[in-house]
Structures are given as C-alpha cells and as structure tokens.
Amino acid sequence: MCACVSVRESERERAGGVSEFFNRLEDCRVPSSFREHLPLSPGWFCLCEKLCFKEEEKSIIDPKLVLLFGLVKLCLSSHRIVHELADELKMGVKGLQYFMETCCPDTCVPVDLKQMAVDHVKAHPDSSATVVVDGMACLRYWYRCQAWVHGGQWQEYMHILQEFVDAFTAARIHLVFFFDGTVEDQKRAEWVKRRLRVNQDIARIFQHIKIHAQQPNSRDLFCLPSGLATFSRFALKSLGQETRCSVREGDYEISDYALSHDCMGILGQDTDFVIYNTAPYLSINKLNLNKMTTVLFSRERLCQVLKLHVTDLPLLSCLLGNDIVPEQRMQRLRNNALSSYQKKHKHVQGDKVYAVADFINAHHPSSGGTFGVSSLSIVEAEREAFEKSIRMYLLPGQISPWLENSCSVPESMCLMGKYVPADILQAALEKHTRAECFLVYNVLYDGVVECSNTLEDENEVEIPPQAVLYLPLRERIYGLLLPVQPDCSGQTVSVKEWFVFPGNPLKEPARVTPKPLNNLKGPPDLMALWFRTDPEVKAVQASTLLDVFDLYEFTDELKRFDSPLIAVICLVTYIAIQVRPLSLEDVDAYLSQAVCVRFKSFREMQQLRTPVVDPRAVQLGSLFVRGLTYLIAANSACGFPFPMGELMPWKTFDGLLFHSKYLQAHSGCPKEELLEGNPSWMSLFLSVRELVLEACRRRGVPVQSRPRRLQNRDARAMEADDLHLERRPQLHHSAHQEFRQQPRASSHYQHGYRPRHPKRGRYHLAPR
C-alpha cells in the first residue's frame, strides 16, 4: 500500500492549496532510481515509498520534491499512514480494519465477554457459550515472553497459554481452537509475498544483533520463534482444549464451524470474518484478559453505514483487495468508483470504501437487468477472479446475488490416493483434523508441504538453511509414506516443498523424491505401524523412527533414556553429522541445556539473562527447534512410538538456557559449571554426550573442539576464517572409525538459491 504524487502542470495551477493538492494522491510504487535522492535510513523507505511521480513526469520534476511533498504529507497524516501500513500486514480485506476503527468507530462495539456468554446461553439454552479461536491470529498475542530471538521460552509460553485458557474457563466460555493445516493454491501468491517480506525483517534482525549484540527491542523488528504455530496446537491439546487443524482454507472452516454450531463468536484478527456471514467477529488484539472485554467488529453496522446487504460484502472484499484478489488488480475499478463518488460527495476520510460501496449499490443485480458480476464493466479475467473470490465466502447453504450459480468452491482433489491405502488416508485425515499429527496428511493427500520463515542468517558461512540441512531426513519420512520406486508407467512420486529460506525466491516448489530407509527390507508396512498395538510392533515403530535419523544400530543403547532425551540425542547427532563445522562446544551447549531444562521451572527460566546475544547461537537455537517439528513428523509417520507430548520443546529446549550454555561452553567453562555443580546432572550429561560422539565417530565425523571468540558490544563477530586461528582443533575420535559416503542433498536446494559473499564457499554439507 504505497502512494504516488501525481502532478501535472494544469493540476498544480488549479490546486487551491496544499490540502487540495494532497487530495489528488493516487496509489502506486516508488521507482528504485529515486532512492539515491532520498537521504533516509532503510527504516524510512517503507514510508517514503509513498511518494514519487509518474513515469512521464520524471524529466520535469526535481526528485528532491518527492521528499518535500512526502514529509509534508506524512506530517499531516502520519496517524493514517501508520494505520494503513499496519493494516497491509494483516490478513483479510485491504484497508477494512482501518476503515472500521478510524472512519466508522460505531462499527466497533466494546463487549463484555462474560455478559455476552450469559446472554448467549439464554438465547440458546441447549448449547454452551462457545468461542472459536483463530489460533494463527493469536500467536503474537500469546507469545508475550520477553525473550524471543534465542529460540523460544517454551515453559513460560505454556504458562501464558494456561492463563488464557483459565480466564475463559472461569467465564464459562468453551473454546475451540483452529489452526491452518494447508495453504490453498489461490492464496499461495499472498503467502509467498508475506514470507519474502519476513525474510527481509529477519535479515535486519541479524544485522541488529551483529551490531549491538542484543535482541532488538522494537516491535518493528520481531519474529515469532520457529515452529510456534505447530507446537501451539499440541500445547493446547495438552491443556485439555479442543483443537482442530484445517484441511482447506482456515478462515472458511472457522466460519463454517461457528455458524453450524451456533457459536458465540470468532476470536481472531482477520477482517475476512466480517465478510463471512457467520458468528460475530471478536478482536484478539483488543482483548483484555483481566477484564474479559474486547471489541466486536459488527458486519451489521458496517452494512448500515455503507447501505449494503450482508450478501454484498464478498464483492466489497474483492473490490478492496483480499488474499485472493490482489489490491492492485482492482485499481482501475476503484479509481473509477472514486472518481464517480467524488463528483457527488465532498472528500471524507475513508472515501475509497464509501466509493466502492456506492459503486456496488449502483450496479446491484435486479430482476429486470443483467444478473451478477456480468453487470459490472469488467474484463473476463476480472469476472473470473470476482466469482472465485465470492464463492470462497459462501458457507454451505448460502447464496449470492452476484453469482448465477452459488455453489461453494469444491474441496481439492486427493492426488496421492492411488499410492495410499484408503484406511491409511482416512486415519491420516482424522488425526490431522484432531491436530494429533504433523505433515503426514499433507504428504499423503496432495503431496504439497510448506515451511514458513526460520531465524537464519543469510550471511552465515558454515550452517546451511534448515530446509537444506533437514532435507535427507524429510526424504526418508516421505519414503515411509510414499513409494520410493517408479510405478509401472515409469513415473516417480515426488513431494512439492514450499520451504522458506534466505535466497529462495519461492517462484516454484522444490520437488523432493522419497528415499528408502537404510535398514528397512522392502516397503514399510504402514498398516502394521499405524493400527497394530502388540509389543513387537511397538518396538518396530521405535526402531523405524531411529532409522529415519540413521541411528538404527543404537536402538538398544537408547532404551535406557526417556523420550525427551531420545529426541535430543536424535537431533543433536543428526545436526553434528550434517554440519561438519559443528564443534564440541556446540554439542555441549545443546546437551547441557537439554539436561538442565528437565529440572527447572518456568519461574527459574524467567530469571535467566544473557550478557550478549550471539548470532550463531541464535541460528543454532532455531535450527534445533525446527528439527523438533521434523521429529514429530517422523513420529507421526512411524505410528507414534513415542508420546507426542514428550517430544515438545517445553520438555527439551529453552532458548535463553541454551544461549547461556553456548556462551559458557565457548568461553572454556568447565563441565561442572555447565551442569551447575549437580553430580546427577553431570552423570546424565556425560552418558548422553558419549553416545552422541560415538554415533558421530561411526559416521566418520569426529567432533572437534573449536572454541569461538564471542561477540560483544565492542567487537563485531569474527570472520569464519579467523575462527581457526583461535585454537588448534582437537579431534575426539576412536580407533574404530567408519565412513559411509552418501549422496549430497538435493541440488534443487543446494545450488543457486542463496546469495553468497564472494569469499564464501558452498555449505559444509555432510554426506547422508
């Protein structure tokens, strides 16, 4: 959402003053050629991109006037611009949130949730007061932990979720949580746009850390911990909450559930819930948990203000722009509507929305005229986009006057059905919708998976992106679920991956071919793994999961550890083998925190502080947590040999604790101090450590001691080449070493995506 100053000589002569001149602003983008004339920091460009001249005016207008006009305009309307920029980052209808809050505050109704629940039960005596919660929209509200850059404060996060649930329980309000289980094709472009934008924010976060050696304290530089959405659904289930995962567009399933179950409201932060004809939309951002109050965005009052019927709201959404119909695509129609509206009305705040509503009323279908969107002066491509988007808002049984045929959008087809037994697919669907598994249903249904942003430094020399590092692991998970051999026609099954990492433009998905496990003879028997419960199969489930991590031969040794420690051993060993420069100090940091976190309360975690923030430790923390998501995916594929609740980060990881152990380990801290002087912790640490190092030695990857000079406020992080001058590496090896050469990671990920410094070599990827 950017603006462009449109100035012609005739317009400047007619302009009666600055206010009239600025009323002629139109939407557009700033050309990069003007940036050199703007002496502003990068943080200002998001605002200054509101200002430039049209192509034909470049030769006659001094580019410095761009800055002049821009700053004047910003001073006059900074409040509006800030709200518009924030509104662009929200899901839903472009500009509608700002319009309702600022231009039509009467559509925003303060409500007392306790009283609302009482009134709802009186009106619906056969049902409870139920609120459907859009879990994806609540993540930022929930994650209020002060530390976020280190990988996540998971015990503290669990405590926050418990307080949230307790507050609604005390108000006698039943909660049903929904999380997005897929990204539909029509929203893929918007998903990609947002992910690439977050990549830029992450680059700025690492730049800040390298300069200041501290976590950014600005909300403009903030990133939720990796995997938060995935782990939140399991966290809420562990708290006894009804939790669901969608199989199609999440907003649709939430709206459908709320309407069909007579729910009290939908708690979220997405103006699409104003457009759907469903239960009332309640704001999570305005929620006061202590008073149990929030704001209800009233679609009925909005319709009164705009003189529209509720069935017209989907068309309003299309014309304003939403996640399916890009805002720029409707620019011509909006301009025409605004021009027509301004001829009849004086300029008012929010006139774009008023103009679009006036346009809808002027073209409303009538019994004697042209029916539906065909009555609009639009081209065929626009008509198709309109109809598709309007159908997305139609819940079962609803119709639209703008469509000749009001059938809702059909669900997508199951593309992998011919490779998967029907019982397996049905079981995967049921576990997915109940939020009991991860990734498996997406692989088995249409073979498309996605992974959002991770805190990764695009300039990191030694550690590859998590998408690359965990690729061999995912190939083996896919090999459990899908055929690894070509079919009778010679076609090979592949999984499409939309994985976000620095340098990946996300123009197309990577195609990943399933790979067999090393120790499995013949195709895996999913029917046995998933449905049989005898002890023999339970052992096979566990050994199969270990085979996914290439630790099959350590099955007996791992039996003496509990599930959380087995999870840590699997991940740290895998990371150490894949990332050759991983040092003994890194391994000690991972393992010592995994031992200590078992015995600490969240109150103790809250007291933790680190003197500095190290960018490499930040990436290693995120790498581990992202690895936990693949671990629970493997656990799902293998038939749940380990309880899901035992594999969660609040059982295995704490960001601040890991960061402090990392700083201690690389400062030469004695092992006794790492384990806080506790002999039993020390004993457990040493036994886990020996197993990890032995597994690495057998793979021909002896782990070296390589202490690093830590970043501080007075010194920038060292170059990777300088690290080897710190101390000569000491090899930890045994006389019996095995080396097994395996193919490298998929070339689709390994080459060509990520920009590198000229001195930088390829990622140090271990054989797999």
Side-chain angles (χ1 to χ4, degrees):
M1 186 188 305
C2 298
C4 163
V5 183
S6 177
V7 186
R8 299 182 187 276
E9 290 294 329
S10 58
E11 289 179 329
R12 288 199 298 273
E13 291 172 359
R14 290 196 303 269
V18 172
S19 60
E20 182 178 346
F21 170 77
F22 280 128
N23 284 339
R24 301 176 182 273
L25 294 179
E26 300 174 13
D27 286 349
C28 144
R29 303 273 322 165
V30 139
S32 58
S33 59
F34 277 6
R35 291 185 177 231
E36 61 186 74
H37 298 283
L38 302 177
L40 299 172
S41 66
W44 273 85
F45 276 128
C46 61
L47 295 180
C48 289
E49 277 187 338
K50 290 198 161 270
L51 321 158
C52 88
F53 298 92
K54 289 185 175 178
E55 293 292 328
E56 62 267 24
E57 297 163 346
K58 292 180 183 178
S59 59
I60 61 171
I61 301 297
D62 184 349
K64 293 181 180 178
L65 286 177
V66 174
L67 180 60
L68 172 63
F69 285 122
L71 293 178
V72 173
K73 180 61 177 176
L74 290 175
C75 291
L76 292 176
S77 58
S78 59
H79 177 75
R80 176 183 64 80
I81 290 173
V82 169
H83 273 270
E84 287 181 349
L85 288 170
D87 198 55
E88 183 184 0
L89 299 178
K90 296 187 178 80
M91 302 293 285
V93 186
K94 308 302 180 186
L96 187 57
Q97 187 91 23
Y98 167 78
F99 175 81
M100 295 182 73
E101 289 182 331
T102 307
C103 308
C104 293
D106 288 345
T107 63
C108 306
V109 184
V111 292
D112 183 316
L113 293 175
K114 292 181 180 179
Q115 186 60 48
M116 194 175 174
V118 171
D119 296 341
H120 182 86
V121 171
K122 287 181 180 179
H124 304 83
D126 295 332
S127 63
S128 61
T130 299
V131 170
V132 187
V133 183
D134 180 1
M136 304 299 291
C138 296
L139 296 176
R140 196 153 185 167
Y141 178 90
W142 288 333
Y143 194 87
R144 300 195 302 273
C145 311
Q146 184 176 0
W148 51 267
V149 79
H150 312 82
Q153 303 310 113
W154 297 99
Q155 288 191 25
E156 183 180 354
Y157 182 64
M158 285 291 290
H159 182 76
I160 292 171
L161 290 180
Q162 182 70 69
E163 289 182 333
F164 182 88
V165 169
D166 289 346
F168 280 88
T169 302
R172 297 187 177 182
I173 297 174
H174 175 64
L175 299 177
V176 178
F177 296 87
F178 272 78
F179 289 86
D180 290 350
T182 185
V183 178
E184 296 202 331
D185 289 341
Q186 57 265 29
K187 287 199 172 186
R188 180 65 67 186
E190 183 66 22
W191 184 87
V192 167
K193 176 183 174 183
R194 292 168 192 257
R195 301 287 74 75
L196 294 178
R197 185 164 54 204
V198 173
N199 264 355
Q200 296 175 355
D201 294 338
I202 290 175
R204 292 166 58 211
I205 288 170
F206 274 100
Q207 184 181 22
H208 179 98
I209 293 172
K210 291 174 184 177
I211 293 173
H212 302 287
Q214 294 295 324
Q215 172 183 284
N217 58 9
S218 168
R219 295 298 289 180
D220 295 332
L221 280 181
F222 174 81
C223 184
L224 291 171
S226 301
L228 188 69
T230 301
F231 296 122
S232 293
R233 64 183 85 161
F234 291 101
L236 290 163
K237 285 189 73 68
S238 73
L239 297 177
Q241 298 303 294
E242 183 177 351
T243 309
R244 295 169 175 258
C245 199
S246 71
V247 296
R248 60 181 299 179
E249 165 58 31
D251 295 350
Y252 181 94
E253 289 199 14
I254 290 171
S255 300
D256 183 27
Y257 183 95
L259 182 64
S260 61
H261 289 77
D262 288 327
C263 292
M264 183 178 101
I266 295 171
L267 184 63
Q269 201 66 32
D270 189 332
T271 45
D272 275 336
F273 296 127
V274 175
I275 306 301
Y276 281 105
N277 189 5
T278 182
Y281 162 36
L282 306 167
S283 171
I284 182 65
N285 285 359
K286 305 292 184 181
L287 176 64
N288 184 320
L289 204 60
N290 293 324
K291 298 181 179 180
M292 289 302 287
T293 59
T294 187
V295 168
L296 185 156
F297 290 93
S298 172
R299 71 177 61 85
E300 291 76 20
R301 292 194 180 189
L302 178 66
C303 288
Q304 291 174 6
V305 168
L306 299 179
K307 299 180 174 62
L308 296 176
H309 190 273
V310 69
T311 56
D312 298 325
L313 293 180
L315 181 58
L316 176 75
S317 171
C318 297
L319 288 167
L320 293 176
N322 53 38
D323 294 339
I324 297 173
V325 182
E327 184 182 14
Q328 298 79 6
R329 191 169 187 176
M330 296 297 113
Q331 186 70 50
R332 179 185 63 84
L333 280 178
R334 280 199 307 276
N335 286 345
N336 292 341
L338 189 60
S339 175
S340 175
Y341 180 83
Q342 290 178 339
K343 290 177 182 178
K344 299 181 292 184
H345 304 82
K346 65 178 182 179
H347 171 71
V348 294
Q349 195 175 26
D351 57 358
K352 180 176 73 173
V353 179
Y354 285 116
V356 169
D358 190 64
F359 175 84
I360 293 173
N361 279 315
H363 294 82
H364 206 280
S366 61
S367 57
T370 306
F371 194 85
V373 295
S374 301
S375 63
L376 307 178
S377 301
I378 55 178
V379 299
E380 181 66 17
E382 292 173 334
R383 183 189 66 79
E384 292 178 357
F386 272 2
E387 292 187 348
K388 187 175 184 179
S389 182
I390 291 172
R391 290 185 197 281
M392 288 296 299
Y393 289 110
L394 295 182
L395 302 177
Q398 295 180 349
I399 61 174
S400 169
W402 297 95
L403 298 177
E404 295 183 33
N405 180 357
S406 291
C407 296
S408 59
V409 176
E411 296 185 22
S412 58
M413 297 291 293
C414 176
L415 301 179
M416 297 293 182
K418 61 181 179 179
Y419 304 113
V420 184
D423 290 345
I424 291 292
L425 191 60
Q426 182 62 30
L429 172 62
E430 293 173 359
K431 292 180 182 298
H432 175 87
T433 54
R434 295 196 301 262
E436 294 175 354
C437 67
F438 175 65
L439 199 73
V440 169
Y441 172 77
N442 306 81
V443 174
L444 292 176
Y445 187 75
D446 60 3
V448 179
V449 296
E450 51 270 322
C451 181
S452 189
N453 305 81
T454 303
L455 271 176
E456 298 176 313
D457 183 3
E458 64 181 359
N459 296 315
E460 168 58 45
V461 177
E462 298 176 340
I463 307 173
Q466 64 86 17
V468 179
L469 185 139
Y470 288 115
L471 177 60
L473 190 64
R474 297 196 303 277
E475 288 174 334
R476 294 195 280 264
I477 295 174
Y478 302 155
L480 268 176
L481 302 171
L482 297 171
V484 297
Q485 300 296 333
D487 59 20
C488 55
S489 63
Q491 292 185 334
T492 302
V493 180
S494 64
V495 177
K496 296 179 181 178
E497 290 191 340
W498 292 91
F499 277 51
V500 184
F501 59 90
N504 183 1
L506 293 172
K507 292 182 179 179
E508 61 180 14
R511 289 185 174 272
V512 178
T513 304
K515 296 291 170 47
L517 301 184
N518 293 324
N519 295 280
L520 187 66
K521 297 179 181 178
D525 186 355
L526 282 186
M527 296 293 290
L529 288 174
W530 284 30
F531 298 121
R532 285 175 53 185
T533 57
D534 48 285
E536 293 81 3
V537 171
K538 204 69 179 174
V540 172
Q541 291 173 334
S543 61
T544 303
L545 184 143
L546 296 179
D547 202 2
V548 170
F549 283 86
D550 202 16
L551 291 175
Y552 181 86
E553 61 197 277
F554 291 92
T555 300
D556 291 336
E557 290 91 331
L558 286 167
K559 288 179 180 178
R560 56 195 174 104
F561 299 106
D562 59 14
S563 299
L565 276 182
I566 292 175
V568 172
I569 292 168
C570 287
L571 281 178
V572 175
T573 304
Y574 181 89
I575 294 171
I577 292 173
Q578 292 294 321
V579 184
R580 290 298 182 89
L582 201 77
S583 68
L584 191 62
E585 288 73 21
D586 300 328
V587 171
D588 287 347
Y590 273 139
L591 300 183
S592 60
Q593 80 82 29
V595 170
C596 295
V597 76
R598 298 158 61 86
F599 307 103
K600 292 182 178 292
S601 68
F602 93 93
R603 295 290 184 192
E604 292 178 278
M605 299 297 188
Q606 281 186 308
Q607 305 304 315
L608 285 173
R609 297 291 183 271
T610 58
V612 296
V613 174
D614 185 90
R616 187 172 179 274
V618 168
Q619 183 153 347
L620 286 176
S622 293
L623 189 66
F624 181 89
V625 174
R626 186 62 79 183
L628 284 174
T629 65
Y630 302 125
L631 178 67
I632 64 175
N635 197 52
S636 303
C638 294
F640 305 98
F642 303 111
M644 277 296 209
E646 297 294 294
L647 308 180
M648 296 297 142
W650 46 91
K651 294 277 190 175
T652 58
F653 184 83
D654 178 89
L656 273 174
L657 184 60
F658 168 72
H659 218 89
S660 65
K661 299 302 181 186
Y662 178 92
L663 298 177
Q664 285 180 298
H666 282 280
S667 299
C669 171
K671 301 295 183 294
E672 292 77 13
E673 190 174 337
L674 267 182
L675 278 301
E676 304 177 19
N678 189 302
S680 62
W681 297 3
M682 183 69 172
S683 175
L684 183 57
F685 165 77
L686 291 176
S687 61
V688 172
R689 183 179 191 255
E690 180 54 36
L691 182 57
V692 170
L693 296 181
E694 175 60 23
C696 292
R697 284 193 291 264
R698 293 193 194 181
R699 299 295 176 274
V701 188
V703 181
Q704 303 178 7
S705 174
R706 192 183 297 122
R708 294 172 178 267
R709 181 182 300 172
L710 298 173
Q711 179 174 324
N712 54 60
R713 290 184 180 274
D714 303 317
R716 298 292 296 272
M718 299 183 65
E719 294 291 333
D721 292 340
D722 297 332
L723 296 175
H724 299 285
L725 302 179
E726 295 273 333
R727 174 177 170 183
R728 296 181 65 86
Q730 300 174 6
L731 296 183
H732 290 251
H733 58 84
S734 66
H736 304 286
Q737 294 185 357
E738 298 177 14
F739 180 79
R740 179 172 54 193
Q741 183 66 43
Q742 296 178 325
R744 288 180 177 269
S746 169
S747 60
H748 191 92
Y749 279 119
Q750 191 174 340
H751 305 299
Y753 269 163
R754 191 171 172 187
R756 297 178 176 83
H757 189 277
K759 294 182 180 180
R760 183 176 179 182
R762 295 205 177 277
Y763 299 118
H764 297 270
L765 285 179
R768 53 181 173 80

